[in-house]
Amino acid sequence: MTGHEPRPSRRTALGLLGAVPLTASGVLAASGVAEAAAGSSGRIPADLRPGGAFDRYIKDLAERDQFSGTVLLAHRGRHVLARAYGMADKGRRIPNEIDTIYAMASASKPFTGLAVVQLAEQRKLRFYDKVGDHLDGFPAEIAGHVTVHQMLTHTSGMTDPTNDRPEPHVFTSIEERNRDIAARARSQKLRFTPGTSKEYSSMGYEVLGELVAAVSGQPFHEYVREHVFERAGMVDSAYYTRTEWLARERIAHPYMLQEDGSRVDGVRHLDKGGAGGVKGSNSARAFIGSGGGNGFTTAPDLVRFALALQRDELLKRAYTELYVNAKVSGPPLRQGGPADPRRGEAFHAYGPTASIFNDRRYISHGGGIAGGSTNWSIYLDIDWVAVVLCNYDLQIEPIIEAERSRITA
């Protein structure tokens, strides 16, 4: 159990007003739409306001059952557009709300990266340290050659643990899950010589999670809760167990698309998997998230994270810059067809991606599980934060594209 008790629910109606401002500390205020609009007079594009093109686009998707979840756009910490659609738990008829808690999948990898940078700031590790400097039992090609920097930037050559299990397994405790990750990490083979290529690796982040625990002396999920979530004022964020996922009404259940077009509750049906993505996968079987992903958070908490990060409340200024700045280049992301020329190159920082769109810098990360799709973006130079949290397994890239093109225009 995480021992983390989320605060009481707020009504979705607050978000449906269109603008729910934050105080300077990142706490939801109750002064309403007028204050939020006045605080950013002349800076909010009409397309991003309540009733604007982006709002209408999300509403249309939801009405056609092509979106279930929460969307939040914030400027200077104030909620400009906040919408929630669909059901968090269809069995109990609990709707998604603005502060519904979602499983983040890989969109929580940047929390792992931030924990590592914090420990480097404290001189407890160095980015050029090898895996074997802190962890035992790895083969020589990993222990003596793979560095912390390479795992953070997906240049380690490590495999992806979600693709190498022949049969699904349901874990029943944190300890069992951690033992399994550790064993598989030590049995893997590298795909390429570390540092010579870039290929997305969840296993690299699983090992980083184990490293955080070893260096800090705290279990990974407890370290992140105390040193990232609590310091950022992320009051609802934690690495919840499957037991909590079932028991807490405010945590959205993933609805996994099946071959026949129906959707199945992944937390209640561990025998079922998703038809898309990694076929047969179901993240609820893991019992708890890890360094590789599936922390839980809310849209307002991600705004609080952005504020805390940019105010240097999580790292000293030099290390904040180190965390967010680009390290390794890669081809631009695209949604079919040629790459969008406005994107320029795509890069990876120490956890989030660090990219440019319309000549604007932003950091972001997305995630996908069977029954869930998530993404958050922090536009570093223009004071915007955008969050898309969905408990359907669908392609949310068009939503992100619609948000990004309007925010950076």
Side-chain angles (χ1 to χ4, degrees), residues 34-259:
E35 181 185 342
S40 302
S41 178
R43 293 180 180 269
I44 308 300
D47 281 356
L48 296 175
R49 291 178 178 272
F54 185 74
D55 190 11
R56 296 194 306 270
Y57 171 55
I58 300 298
K59 181 180 179 182
D60 177 67
L61 291 176
E63 288 176 346
R64 292 186 283 121
D65 199 33
Q66 294 183 14
F67 179 80
S68 172
T70 300
V71 172
L72 176 59
L73 306 179
H75 184 243
R76 293 182 176 175
R78 299 177 182 274
H79 296 193
V80 172
L81 180 69
R83 293 288 189 256
Y85 294 99
M87 305 299 291
D89 186 339
K90 295 181 180 181
R92 290 186 285 186
R93 302 297 301 169
I94 300 171
N96 285 323
E97 299 193 10
I98 303 307
D99 59 355
T100 290
I101 302 166
Y102 294 85
M104 293 296 290
S106 288
S108 61
K109 277 185 172 71
F111 303 141
T112 305
L114 184 64
V116 172
V117 177
Q118 286 180 337
L119 294 170
E121 179 185 85
Q122 298 165 28
R123 308 295 193 270
K124 293 182 178 180
L125 59 80
R126 297 160 297 186
F127 295 107
Y128 58 80
D129 284 353
K130 309 292 194 305
V131 170
D133 293 335
H134 300 283
L135 300 173
D136 297 327
F138 283 85
E141 65 173 358
I142 295 175
H145 296 280
V146 173
T147 67
V148 172
H149 167 84
Q150 289 164 349
M151 289 186 288
L152 285 168
T153 57
H154 299 280
T155 58
S156 67
M158 290 184 176
T159 55
D160 187 336
T162 63
N163 293 328
D164 59 7
R165 181 179 291 282
E167 296 294 335
H169 180 78
V170 177
F171 294 90
T172 58
S173 70
I174 297 173
E175 294 74 21
E176 182 193 10
R177 171 66 170 158
N178 288 343
R179 286 195 302 269
D180 179 78
I181 292 173
R184 284 193 290 145
R186 287 159 175 77
S187 66
Q188 68 181 299
K189 302 291 184 182
L190 294 181
R191 289 181 290 195
F192 53 82
T193 301
T196 62
S197 186
K198 180 177 182 290
E199 189 172 342
Y200 190 82
S201 170
S202 285
M203 181 56 84
Y205 273 74
E206 299 288 16
V207 176
L208 288 172
E210 184 180 350
L211 185 150
V212 166
V215 172
S216 71
Q218 289 183 273
F220 168 77
H221 63 282
E222 292 183 7
Y223 178 92
V224 175
R225 175 180 54 78
E226 179 179 347
H227 298 280
V228 178
F229 297 153
E230 290 185 358
R231 283 174 62 176
M234 300 170 71
V235 294
D236 292 321
S237 300
Y239 285 80
Y240 293 108
T241 65
R242 185 173 63 245
T243 305
E244 293 168 307
W245 204 347
L246 276 168
R248 300 184 185 226
E249 293 185 351
R250 291 187 49 227
I251 305 179
H253 289 218
Y255 286 93
M256 307 181 302
L257 188 65
Q258 303 297 288
E259 296 286 358

Side-chain angles (χ1 to χ4, degrees), residues 257-399:
L257 188 65
Q258 303 297 288
E259 296 286 358
D260 63 2
S262 63
R263 295 187 183 275
V264 173
D265 183 330
V267 189
R268 291 195 174 96
H269 297 278
L270 300 177
D271 59 317
K272 301 289 187 180
V278 182
K279 190 172 182 179
S281 65
N282 183 338
S283 67
R285 295 171 183 156
F287 191 74
I288 194 170
S290 57
N294 232 35
F296 290 72
T297 191
T298 68
D301 269 4
L302 286 167
V303 175
R304 296 181 180 102
F305 172 73
L307 291 170
L309 180 67
Q310 294 181 287
R311 292 169 177 167
D312 302 321
E313 294 171 358
L314 298 172
L315 297 161
K316 295 176 183 176
R317 167 52 51 178
Y319 285 88
T320 298
E321 293 296 329
L322 184 66
Y323 174 71
V324 303
N325 285 335
K327 306 294 187 300
V328 177
S329 176
L333 297 174
R334 59 182 182 173
Q335 176 65 22
D340 190 325
R342 293 172 296 178
R343 287 188 178 276
E345 286 187 85
F347 301 87
H348 214 94
Y350 276 162
T353 59
S355 304
I356 297 170
F357 191 91
N358 274 338
D359 298 328
R360 301 290 193 180
R361 292 189 309 152
Y362 68 92
I363 61 170
S364 65
H365 211 294
I369 56 175
S373 304
T374 59
N375 192 81
W376 57 265
S377 300
I378 303 172
Y379 296 86
L380 297 170
D381 302 320
I382 52 178
D383 296 324
W384 279 90
V385 179
V387 181
V388 181
L389 305 177
C390 181
N391 60 330
Y392 278 3
D393 45 354
L394 51 82
Q395 295 296 319
I396 62 172
E397 284 84 356
I399 299 175

